[in-house]
Amino acid sequence: MIAWLTGLLIFGRLKVLEPSHLNDDGAGRKISLIIPARNEEKNIGKLLESISKQKTVPHEVIVVDDNSSDGTAEIVSGYNVKLVKLESDPPAGWIGKSWACWNGYLASVGDVLVFLDADVELSPEALGTIVNLQELKGGLFSVQPYHRMERFYESFSLVFNLIVVASLGNFMAGERNPPGAFGPCMVCSRSDYSSLGGHEAIKSNVLDDIGLGRTFWKNGLPVSNTLGGEMISFRMYPGGIGEVLKGWGKNFAKGAGSTPPLTLIMMVLWITGVFSTFLRLPVALGFQIQFIAFIIMYLAYAVQIYLYSRKIGSFSIGHALIFPVYFLFFFYTFIYSGLRTLLFKRVSWKGRDIDV
């Protein structure tokens, strides 16, 4: 029961982006959209289409083709955007995404920088809303997109989505400085970004969103994080269950070390409670009272997981009812990630080996 109550503290203050935050059309601000893209031919067109429908028109859209081996550049060339082509792997000491973001910044002229992952999609009001909120709050403003799913195997990201959101500590009492930002959508002023060294200052950090967020708040600038809701979404790892495993496994164990201690303790307590609930089933089957208690606790966790996961993605009550499956997959992936990052010191993603 204590572990279940811990879940209320961890997820009880989830904040979702809403169109009502839109106060004006962003007039007077020169906005640069910077999109790092490596082998994103299946996604980049959807993002660029959504950008073309924005009520707030950006000054420029810059797509950085990070030495892709697919048709990313060809798709981008069909849109009225600036294409920056990187035709070799990053220099020594650089991680690919940070290198692409940095080159996008160097090619930009806007006084507001918006970094977007290539699989993100925006509602027509999204750009104006996030730019206005960044101006209101200052520093670095980031959004975790709503996870839009089309296939059942994509639901295996359920636990990871919950933990990513919880790990920043923005949505629980007692945490002031988040350890980072949400990488898929980050907004900041050009002056802040350049004065802090931007992605060059964190060029070797595998978790660029964690690194950039820490750079901001360590220099006295606020970091604000929220959820995308109906305004900002993405479809993660649509290439099958293997892609889900590799995608989350490439840096998840390493990310655990970046979670604030209080948040990490509470998350471990909550996850332990979930595991202990369904591990009690063999014992509970032999005792009527214990079995009834097991059913009550099981349903309590299912309801809790459903109420929070539906704010993060298109997860249903059916997904919540089979939560043991997702937690077992999470546990397996965490071990896989730990072996890859701690023993082999290397992961592979989008055709590129990354030293961690």
Side-chain angles (χ1 to χ4, degrees), residues 95 206 246-254 336-342 344-356:
I95 296 297
V206 177
K246 290 182 178 180
W248 287 113
K250 69 180 184 294
N251 53 27
F252 203 81
K254 191 175 182 67
Y336 166 82
S337 178
L339 290 175
R340 297 293 299 177
T341 58
L342 300 178
F344 300 107
K345 305 292 184 182
R346 174 169 290 195
V347 295
S348 178
W349 184 244
K350 292 186 181 295
R352 176 181 284 162
D353 288 332
I354 303 171
D355 293 327
V356 294

Side-chain angles (χ1 to χ4, degrees), residues 4 277 292-306 317 320-321 323:
W4 186 86
T277 295
I292 294 173
F294 163 79
I295 293 296
I296 292 173
M297 206 63 224
Y298 186 98
L299 291 177
Y301 271 110
V303 170
Q304 186 181 69
I305 290 168
Y306 168 66
I317 187 65
L321 286 172
F323 70 84

Side-chain angles (χ1 to χ4, degrees), residues 66-78:
D66 184 13
N67 196 23
S68 295
S69 58
D70 65 359
T72 297
E74 288 74 14
I75 293 173
V76 173
S77 64

Side-chain angles (χ1 to χ4, degrees), residues 128-202:
T129 298
I130 60 177
V131 169
N132 286 331
L133 285 172
Q134 187 281 326
E135 184 179 46
L136 176 66
K137 296 175 179 294
L140 182 65
F141 180 78
S142 82
V143 181
Q144 176 69 2
Y146 182 84
H147 186 184
R148 179 179 59 81
M149 298 179 296
E150 297 180 10
R151 298 287 187 272
F152 173 73
Y153 60 76
E154 297 173 56
S155 67
F156 279 79
S157 290
L158 187 150
V159 179
F160 299 96
N161 275 293
L162 287 171
I163 291 176
V164 164
V165 169
S167 65
L168 293 189
N170 285 98
F171 310 115
M172 60 174 286
E175 295 289 349
R176 299 190 174 210
N177 293 320
F182 294 129
C185 176
M186 299 188 290
V187 189
C188 62
S189 70
R190 185 181 196 88
S191 58
D192 286 344
Y193 182 87
S194 59
S195 67
L196 298 178
H199 281 84
E200 185 177 35
I202 56 159

Side-chain angles (χ1 to χ4, degrees), residues 1-12 266 269-274 276-277 296-308 323:
M1 179 58 71
I2 294 177
W4 186 86
L5 293 174
T6 302
L8 297 181
L9 296 175
I10 295 173
F11 302 107
M266 296 182 73
L269 178 60
W270 182 69
I271 292 172
T272 301
V274 174
S276 65
T277 295
I296 292 173
M297 206 63 224
Y298 186 98
L299 291 177
Y301 271 110
V303 170
Q304 186 181 69
I305 290 168
Y306 168 66
L307 291 176
Y308 298 139
F323 70 84

Side-chain angles (χ1 to χ4, degrees), residues 23 69 119 155 202 228-229 234 263:
N23 297 317
S69 58
D119 56 359
S155 67
I202 56 159
F234 59 9
T263 305

